[in-house]
Amino acid sequence: MLKSKTFVKKTRSGGVLKIVREHYLRDDIWCGSEVCKECKDEAPVLQEDACIESNLCSYPHYLIPDTNVVLHQLDILVDPLITNVVILQTVLQEVRHRSATVYKRIKDAIHEKDKHFYTFTNEHHRETFVEREQGESANDRNDRAIRVAAKWYTDHLAKVTDGGPLKVVLLTNDRANKEKAEQCGLTVYRCEEYIKSLIGNPELVDRLALIADQNENTGSKLLFPEHLPLSRIQTGIKNGAFLQGTFHANRDNYLEGTVFIHREGADINEVLLRGFQNLNRAVHQDVVAVELLPKEHWVAPSSFVLLDDSPNDEDAEEDETENKLKSEAPESSALKPTGRVVGVIKRNWRPFCGMLSQSQIKEATRHLFTPADRRIPRIRIETRQAANLVGQRIMVAIDGWPKNSRYPNGHFVKNLGSAGDKETETEVLLLEHDVPHQPFSQAVLSFLPKMPWIITEEELKVRADLRHLSVCSVDPPGCTDIDDALHCRELEDGNLEVGVHIADVSHFIRPGNALDQEAASRGTTVYLCGKRIDMVPELLSSNLCSLRSNVERLAFSCIWEMNHKAEIIKTRFTKSIINSKASLTYAEAQMRIDDTTMNDDITKSLRGLNKLAKILKGRRIDKGALTLSSPEVRFHIDSETHDPIDLQTKELMETNSMVEEFMLLANISVAQKIYDEFSECALLRKHPAPPPSNYDILIKAAKSRDLDIHTDSAKALADSLNNATTESFPYFNTLLRILATRCMMQAVYFCSGMDNDFHHYGLASPIYTHFTSPIRRYSDIIVHRLLAVAINADSTYPDLMDKHKQSALCSNLNYRHKMAQYAQRASVAFHTQLFFKNKGIINEEGFILFVRKNAIIILIPKFGLEGTVFFENKDKPSPHLNFDSEGPSLKVEEHTFHIFDKVKVTISLDASNLQHQRIRMSLIEPVIPGVSVPVPEPEPVAKKPRLDR
C-alpha cells in the first residue's frame, strides 16, 4: 500500500519546487514475539516467558516506553533486569533527532541478545501508521502513534494467545498521554510508578532520573536568575546582544570560569565569569549564551585557589567567599571582558565518576555526590543505599539544575568499586577522560588476518625486498608495539643510505570496515602506568605489525641518499619487506655505540645514524627549533603487588635523540610528498605560535634573575633560552625550559584544504605530519594511505579525498590525543600517591614554579613532582600575606618568595579526603615562625622489595 505526501518548497534562487514523498505501508512486519505463530518471523526476539516480578503486573508482559522515557530514563532501561522491551520506530526516530548519545546507547541495547529489545517498524505497518491531523502538533501525532502501536500489540497478543496472560505495558511520564492511553483500554504506568513496583530491586529506584516538575520547588528562595528561552537567546546572538561559546570551569576556583566564544573573527575570544549569579548553573563544557557586563564591572582572573569542599549541603549563597574575591584590586591592564550566563544552548552532561558524601541526618535519602573532576559541581541525589555506597566510586548523571537549588539534581547510575583500589581507580580515570577501553567486539576481530599468517608471493612481487639490510629497532624497555626500525649503510659512491621503516598497518586495516572504524574512534593507544589501552587488537599491535627482530614483516619505508654532511640527495618511498636484525633498548643501543670493541653491521649502522642525527639536530636548532623540558617520571613496580616501589625521572640518552631526529625527518619528508600530491586533503600537523601574553610569566621569571627572554620568533626564543644560564644556579635553565613548555599552544592535526597556516612552531618546520607510529596513532594510518596512493601502491577511496570528512576526523583525533594525555597524567598522579602512601614523610629540596596569592607551587626535580604549599589554613590563623603581581612575588610575614627560589619541603600523602587524595607539601626552609614545620624524623629503611622493570 502506498501513501504519498506532496508539498512545495522555495529554493534559494527564489523558485518553487514541488516535492512528492512516497511512504510504503506493509503487511509483513512481524510482532517479534515467540508466542506468535501468525507472524512468520524466523528469529523472534521477545520471549514467551517475559516475567519481571512486579506488584503492579503479576503477569508476563512486554514494555513499550514512549520517547521521553527512553530519553530520560535510559539508565533504567539498559539495566540487566529490564528485558523484553518493544522500541517503536516512532520513538527511535525522535530519539535520533534529539540525542545522538542516547540513540547510540539504545541501539547498543537493541543489539544485545540477552536484553530481548525488539524494534517494531510501526511507521510502515499498515495497521499502526497514523497520519498527522489538521491542527495536530508533531509531538501529539507521535504520542498518538505510540498509543496506536501499543493498542495493536495488546489486541494482536490477545488474539494469538487466545486471551492468555501475556500483556503489553505502556510506560509514559506524560500525564495527558497516560489519560488518553487509559481511555483506549491500555495498561499504562508512569515510569517511576512501575520501577517502584518491582520486587527485590530497590537499587533500580536510585537510577530514576528526576523529571522536570520534581526538579522545581516553587516555594524555595531563588538563588539564580531565570534562563532566557531559546528564541530570545537566538535573537540576542544575531543582533550582538549576547555571545555564544563553550563554558570551561576553573579547576582551582569553583567560583570562576571562562566562556570561549565560537564566532570567528570576533573582537572578544574569551569572557570571564565570576560568582554564582553570573555562572548561573553552567556546567563545564556546556554551550552557553553570555551577556557582557559594563566595562566598569570587568574583573581580572583571580589568583586565589578556592575549592568547594565545605561539608554544608544547604542551598546557601557563598557570600563570604565571593566578597573575598571582590576584595582583589587588579590593575586595569589585567582586566578581562566579564559577563554573565543568560541561558544554556546545549547541555554537555555525561555520567560523572565520584564519591557520595553521606548526609549527617539519620534516615536521610538525599545526599551530595562529589565528582572526581573538580570542574563539575557537587550533585544532589536520592538513594536508599547510601551506607553501602560510602567509600565506593560511583557514577551519577545530572537530571536538571533548578534555579532555587545550590546544586544540580541527579540520579545514581552504577557502583564502580572501592575507592583506592587500583582496578577501580584505573576504570575511573578511563571513564573520566572518555577513553574507549571496552574489549574489541567480534565484528572488529572478524577483520583480523587468519593465523598462521605468512607473506604471500603476490606481496613479494609488489614490494621492495629489504630483508638483507642490517635493520634494527631502538625503543624503551618492555616495548612490544614496535612501530619503527632504522638502517644506515655506505654506498659505493661514498654517500650514505639511510632508511626509516615503519610498520605497514594500513595493509591490515582496510578503509571503512569495523576494524578501521574502531581504530578511527579510539584515535590513539593510551599508555597508563603498567597498562596499555590499544588502538588496534593485540594480534596486530604486538605481533603482525610489530617490527620484532628476526621475523619478516611488512613495512612502509622512507629511504634517503645522504652525504656525510646529512644533506639529502635523493628520497624514495616504497612498500617493503624487512627482517629486523635486533630489537634494542635505548641503553643497549648506546652501549653498542660507545663500545669500541664492537664493529658488527648493526653497531656500524647505529654509529652512522648517531653521527648524522647530531648534524640534523644542530641544523634544526640553528633554524629555531625549540628544546623544551618537562619532567617525566618512571615507576619501578613490585612484581607481586604491582605497587610502585621506586620513582625516578627518566634519563635521556644520545640514542633517544638519534631516533627522534630520523622520525622527524621522515615525518617532514612524507608531509611534503602528500601535500604536493593532495594539496586539498593532506592530513598534516601544526603547532601554532603562542600569543605574546602567554610568555608574560616566562619573561618575568627570567627578569627576576636579570636575564632577558626574546619571544619575537621561535629562533629568538631558542637563542634566549640557550643564553639564559647562571653559573651559581645550574638547574635554572632547565626550570626556564619547563616554564617555556607551559607557555606553548597544543599541536593539532588539520586538513590542508581547510587551513592555510601549516607552520610547526616548536620544530621550526614549514610543514609536518605524523607517519612513524601507525600502530598507536590513527592519524599515521591515514597518512600511510595518502602516501600509498601518491606512489601508486594502493587505491584511493572517497572519504580520503573529502576535505570536510578529513577535517571532522582531525577534530576527533585532536580530542582523543588530548584526553589520552590527561589520562596518562592522572595515572602518573595516582601511582605517585601509591608510592608516597608507604613512604611516610619525606624531606626534599625543590624550586618554586609559580607564585599565587595564597600559595606557592613547587617542583621536586628528583621525582618530577609538583605540589602546592598553602599559606591559608582553616584550622589556624593565616599569616600576613602580600602578593605582588609584577614580580610575581609573595611576601609571607617577613620572607618574600620569588619564582625559582629554592625551598625545602616535607612531602606526604594527604588521605583525609578519600576521593581527592593529594600530595601535601609543607615548608621546612626558609624557616618562617608559625608557617614552616620542623624537620620530621627519618623513617626506618624498609627491606627493598623485588623490582619488575
Side-chain angles (χ1 to χ4, degrees):
M1 183 178 168
L2 179 68
K3 292 261 183 187
S4 64
K5 184 179 179 183
T6 307
F7 58 96
V8 290
K9 180 181 171 186
K10 193 175 180 181
T11 64
R12 282 184 178 178
S13 57
V16 173
L17 186 68
K18 182 180 178 182
I19 294 175
V20 178
R21 281 217 178 121
E22 294 181 336
H23 191 92
Y24 290 88
L25 300 180
R26 302 167 55 158
D27 295 309
D28 58 349
I29 293 170
W30 317 129
C31 68
S33 173
E34 285 179 349
V35 301
C36 182
K37 301 294 179 270
E38 195 173 289
C39 293
K40 300 175 181 63
D41 195 344
E42 292 177 4
V45 174
L46 301 166
Q47 296 170 295
E48 183 175 351
D49 182 25
C51 285
I52 301 176
E53 287 190 81
S54 160
N55 292 325
L56 287 175
C57 314
S58 55
Y59 40 81
H61 56 278
Y62 300 150
L63 296 174
I64 299 184
D66 75 356
T67 307
N68 281 322
V69 169
V70 174
L71 280 169
H72 302 299
Q73 305 292 354
L74 190 59
D75 288 321
I76 295 285
L77 294 176
V78 298
D79 188 90
L81 181 76
I82 305 298
T83 56
N84 293 292
V85 177
V86 178
I87 303 293
L88 300 176
Q89 182 189 1
T90 307
V91 170
L92 211 51
Q93 286 174 343
E94 268 201 282
V95 168
R96 186 179 188 176
H97 289 137
R98 289 171 63 180
S99 172
T101 310
V102 174
Y103 180 72
K104 184 184 181 304
R105 285 184 70 195
I106 197 69
K107 287 289 281 184
D108 289 344
I110 291 165
H111 291 137
E112 206 175 312
K113 284 185 180 177
D114 294 343
K115 292 289 290 172
H116 300 283
F117 275 35
Y118 179 65
T119 308
F120 181 61
T121 323
N122 64 304
E123 295 289 354
H124 288 277
H125 194 294
R126 195 160 54 86
E127 293 179 40
T128 58
F129 172 72
V130 298
E131 288 197 72
R132 189 170 165 186
E133 295 171 353
Q134 196 168 0
E136 187 177 39
S137 71
N139 192 49
D140 287 345
R141 179 262 165 208
N142 288 342
D143 282 348
R144 186 160 58 86
I146 292 166
R147 292 194 299 274
V148 167
K151 178 68 174 161
W152 179 86
Y153 254 103
T154 301
D155 297 344
H156 180 76
L157 290 175
K159 179 181 162 189
V160 298
T161 61
D162 290 327
L166 185 61
K167 290 189 169 50
V168 166
V169 174
L170 177 63
L171 295 181
T172 180
N173 287 326
D174 184 314
R175 198 174 290 123
N177 194 22
K178 185 172 183 285
E179 286 170 5
K180 286 175 184 173
E182 285 168 340
Q183 288 164 14
C184 297
L186 294 172
T187 305
V188 56
Y189 296 111
R190 286 186 301 109
C191 186
E192 182 184 5
E193 188 181 9
Y194 175 78
I195 295 302
K196 285 182 176 177
S197 80
L198 298 181
I199 299 165
N201 289 284
E203 71 279 359
L204 254 190
V205 178
D206 291 350
R207 292 200 177 95
L208 279 168
L210 287 170
I211 50 180
D213 57 354
Q214 290 172 276
N215 259 329
E216 298 287 347
N217 181 357
T218 49
S220 302
K221 174 188 172 188
L222 292 184
L223 298 177
F224 297 101
E226 188 87 61
H227 283 156
L228 297 181
L230 202 55
S231 56
R232 274 192 64 190
I233 289 171
Q234 287 167 337
T235 306
I237 290 168
K238 273 184 187 173
N239 63 30
F242 304 145
L243 296 169
Q244 177 178 327
T246 303
F247 171 68
H248 285 233
N250 186 330
R251 196 188 298 274
D252 297 321
N253 185 340
Y254 71 100
L255 289 175
E256 199 167 271
T258 305
V259 175
F260 292 91
I261 304 305
H262 292 171
R263 197 174 64 215
E264 280 190 31
D267 298 334
I268 294 172
N269 298 318
E270 297 175 18
V271 176
L272 187 68
L273 306 179
R274 166 82 62 79
F276 272 123
Q277 297 280 312
N278 294 338
L279 291 168
N280 197 7
R281 296 169 284 158
V283 176
H284 183 65
Q285 292 289 7
D286 282 351
V287 178
V288 298
V290 291
E291 180 181 44
L292 284 178
L293 299 176
K295 283 197 174 180
E296 58 267 24
H297 294 299
W298 286 11
V299 295
S302 172
S303 297
F304 277 110
V305 178
L306 293 175
L307 305 177
D308 184 12
D309 52 6
S310 67
N312 180 24
D313 70 343
E314 293 301 311
D315 292 337
E317 291 176 281
E318 310 281 313
D319 293 336
E320 189 182 326
T321 314
E322 291 206 35
N323 288 337
K324 186 178 181 181
L325 290 180
K326 288 173 187 172
S327 67
E328 292 186 82
E331 295 178 18
S332 56
S333 59
L335 297 178
K336 295 272 172 122
T338 308
R340 65 186 188 96
V341 171
V342 294
V344 177
I345 296 163
K346 186 188 173 202
R347 290 289 194 189
N348 271 323
W349 294 342
R350 58 177 173 83
F352 300 104
C353 302
M355 293 181 73
L356 197 70
S357 307
Q358 194 173 4
S359 172
Q360 301 302 308
I361 303 166
K362 203 176 177 186
E363 304 295 321
T365 57
R366 296 177 84 206
H367 307 272
L368 276 183
F369 163 82
T370 306
D373 187 343
R374 288 193 182 276
R375 294 168 300 186
I376 307 300
R378 290 194 281 183
I379 303 163
R380 184 177 284 112
I381 67 168
E382 288 204 23
T383 177
R384 288 146 193 82
Q385 48 176 338
N388 299 330
L389 296 178
V390 171
Q392 301 287 298
R393 289 282 197 179
I394 64 173
M395 285 181 83
V396 162
I398 298 179
D399 300 322
W401 195 340
K403 55 185 178 290
N404 49 28
S405 173
R406 163 75 170 79
Y407 299 111
N409 292 329
H411 67 272
F412 168 80
V413 176
K414 70 173 176 178
N415 187 348
L416 298 169
S418 298
D421 174 74
K422 273 201 289 289
E423 289 300 314
T424 302
E425 295 301 333
T426 301
E427 177 75 5
V428 167
L429 73 87
L430 290 171
L431 288 166
E432 279 298 289
H433 296 98
D434 196 15
V435 174
H437 60 287
Q438 66 282 5
F440 290 100
S441 69
Q442 279 308 120
V444 169
L445 297 175
S446 69
F447 286 96
L448 291 174
K450 302 293 177 277
M451 297 300 284
W453 174 83
I454 54 164
I455 296 173
T456 62
E457 286 298 319
E458 288 76 18
E459 285 298 330
L460 283 165
K461 285 175 190 170
V462 295
R463 290 175 179 266
D465 188 348
L466 307 179
R467 289 175 289 183
H468 61 285
L469 295 177
S470 296
V471 171
C472 70
S473 61
V474 185
D475 291 283
C479 178
T480 60
D481 51 344
I482 302 170
D483 287 288
D484 54 88
L486 302 146
H487 88 271
C488 175
R489 63 172 180 163
E490 193 159 336
L491 299 172
E492 289 177 3
D493 60 3
N495 285 334
L496 298 169
E497 179 187 84
V498 176
V500 165
H501 311 279
I502 305 300
D504 189 4
V505 182
S506 63
H507 170 82
F508 297 96
I509 300 181
R510 302 309 296 164
N513 67 24
L515 178 56
D516 182 47
Q517 288 171 0
E518 181 67 20
S521 170
R522 292 186 179 219
T524 179
T525 293
V526 181
Y527 296 90
L528 308 178
C529 300
K531 189 181 179 80
R532 188 178 82 202
I533 314 295
D534 281 326
M535 180 184 80
V536 297
E538 193 175 15
L539 179 65
L540 296 183
S541 66
S542 296
N543 188 350
L544 300 185
C545 291
S546 184
L547 304 182
R548 303 186 303 188
S549 55
N550 303 314
V551 287
E552 293 180 358
R553 288 289 178 257
L554 302 181
F556 210 151
S557 299
C558 175
I559 299 170
W560 303 277
E561 185 179 333
M562 292 181 177
N563 60 26
H564 287 267
K565 293 178 183 174
E567 293 166 339
I568 297 170
I569 296 158
K570 197 161 60 180
T571 305
R572 74 184 172 106
F573 305 101
T574 180
K575 293 259 185 165
S576 62
I577 300 170
I578 66 164
N579 188 323
S580 172
K581 303 299 183 282
S583 298
L584 306 172
T585 65
Y586 291 117
E588 288 167 347
Q590 191 66 54
M591 189 186 72
R592 279 176 176 256
I593 291 168
D594 296 340
D595 187 346
T596 52
T597 62
M598 295 187 78
N599 284 298
D600 57 279
D601 288 346
I602 291 290
T603 305
K604 284 179 186 173
S605 176
L606 288 168
R607 286 188 186 129
L609 289 165
N610 197 38
K611 189 177 174 185
L612 292 169
K614 287 177 180 176
I615 299 168
L616 289 169
K617 185 172 184 177
R619 198 175 294 150
R620 266 195 325 108
I621 289 169
D622 287 344
K623 284 181 182 172
L626 297 171
T627 308
L628 301 176
S629 182
S630 61
E632 288 189 70
V633 295
R634 180 147 184 252
F635 292 96
H636 297 301
I637 306 291
D638 186 294
S639 57
E640 289 174 8
T641 66
H642 301 289
D643 283 342
I645 51 176
D646 200 5
L647 177 61
Q648 295 172 345
T649 47
K650 288 184 184 174
E651 186 186 344
L652 297 179
M653 303 178 182
E654 265 186 14
T655 43
N656 289 80
S657 179
M658 175 190 81
V659 173
E660 183 186 11
E661 285 308 316
F662 286 106
M663 296 307 115
L664 292 175
L665 188 61
N667 287 335
I668 292 166
S669 298
V670 170
Q672 195 59 60
K673 177 70 176 174
I674 61 172
Y675 178 63
D676 289 345
E677 293 287 335
F678 308 109
S679 60
E680 285 292 296
C681 58
L683 191 152
L684 302 175
R685 187 164 175 82
K686 67 173 181 176
H687 183 214
S693 59
N694 278 30
Y695 289 123
D696 289 351
I697 190 71
L698 182 68
I699 292 166
K700 284 178 180 178
K703 199 162 267 183
S704 69
R705 305 279 163 168
D706 298 323
L707 291 166
D708 288 327
I709 294 287
H710 300 288
T711 59
D712 317 338
S713 66
K715 171 73 174 154
L717 176 61
D719 290 344
S720 300
L721 289 171
N722 290 338
N723 296 329
T725 56
T726 57
E727 284 185 22
S728 60
F729 189 1
Y731 197 68
F732 172 75
N733 191 260
T734 306
L735 286 169
L736 214 52
R737 289 180 193 275
I738 290 170
L739 208 54
T741 307
R742 311 289 170 92
C743 302
M744 294 297 135
M745 304 290 282
Q746 190 87 30
V748 290
Y749 297 110
F750 69 102
C751 176
S752 58
M754 304 291 281
D755 208 326
N756 50 22
D757 174 22
F758 294 7
H759 190 73
H760 197 293
Y761 181 80
L763 297 174
S765 176
I767 195 166
Y768 191 66
T769 194
H770 272 163
F771 164 75
T772 55
S773 295
I775 294 176
R776 61 185 178 89
R777 290 190 305 235
Y778 188 76
S779 54
D780 303 51
I781 293 178
I782 295 294
V783 170
H784 276 228
R785 289 174 182 168
L786 288 164
L787 184 61
V789 175
I791 64 168
N792 297 314
D794 206 343
S795 54
T796 186
Y797 57 99
D799 284 7
L800 193 66
M801 299 295 141
D802 186 328
K803 65 180 182 181
H804 297 286
K805 288 194 174 169
Q806 287 281 46
S807 191
L809 174 67
C810 287
S811 296
N812 180 58
L813 295 179
N814 291 330
Y815 171 72
R816 291 293 186 208
H817 276 261
K818 184 171 70 174
M819 288 294 115
Q821 281 183 331
Y822 292 160
Q824 286 156 9
R825 286 177 202 164
S827 180
V828 168
F830 173 63
H831 279 75
T832 304
Q833 289 169 8
L834 284 181
F835 171 71
F836 281 106
K837 188 177 183 179
N838 302 319
K839 289 286 177 184
I841 299 175
I842 295 176
N843 313 326
E844 281 298 335
E845 287 186 342
F847 299 95
I848 297 175
L849 264 190
F850 299 102
V851 177
R852 298 283 185 257
K853 280 203 167 170
N854 57 346
I856 52 175
I857 295 160
I858 292 162
L859 172 73
I860 310 294
K862 181 178 175 181
F863 299 128
L865 175 71
E866 276 180 46
T868 307
V869 172
F870 289 96
F871 294 115
E872 286 182 335
N873 196 318
K874 290 175 184 174
D875 305 330
K876 58 182 184 181
S878 298
H880 178 69
L881 303 177
N882 189 0
F883 178 71
D884 176 13
S885 59
E886 272 306 297
S889 66
L890 177 65
K891 189 174 183 183
V892 181
E893 297 294 348
E894 296 304 313
H895 185 88
T896 305
F897 292 99
H898 301 88
I899 289 183
F900 300 163
D901 280 0
K902 193 174 188 177
V903 293
K904 194 167 188 179
V905 294
T906 65
I907 310 169
S908 60
L909 179 68
D910 177 6
S912 58
N913 181 333
L914 190 58
Q915 162 144 272
H916 291 124
Q917 293 190 31
R918 60 192 175 96
I919 301 299
R920 179 185 286 279
M921 291 189 183
S922 300
L923 192 68
I924 299 176
E925 293 174 9
V927 176
I928 304 172
V931 175
S932 52
V933 298
V935 181
E937 291 294 317
E939 299 277 327
V941 179
K943 186 181 174 185
K944 204 166 189 178
R946 103 173 29 90
L947 289 178
D948 176 15
R949 300 194 184 195

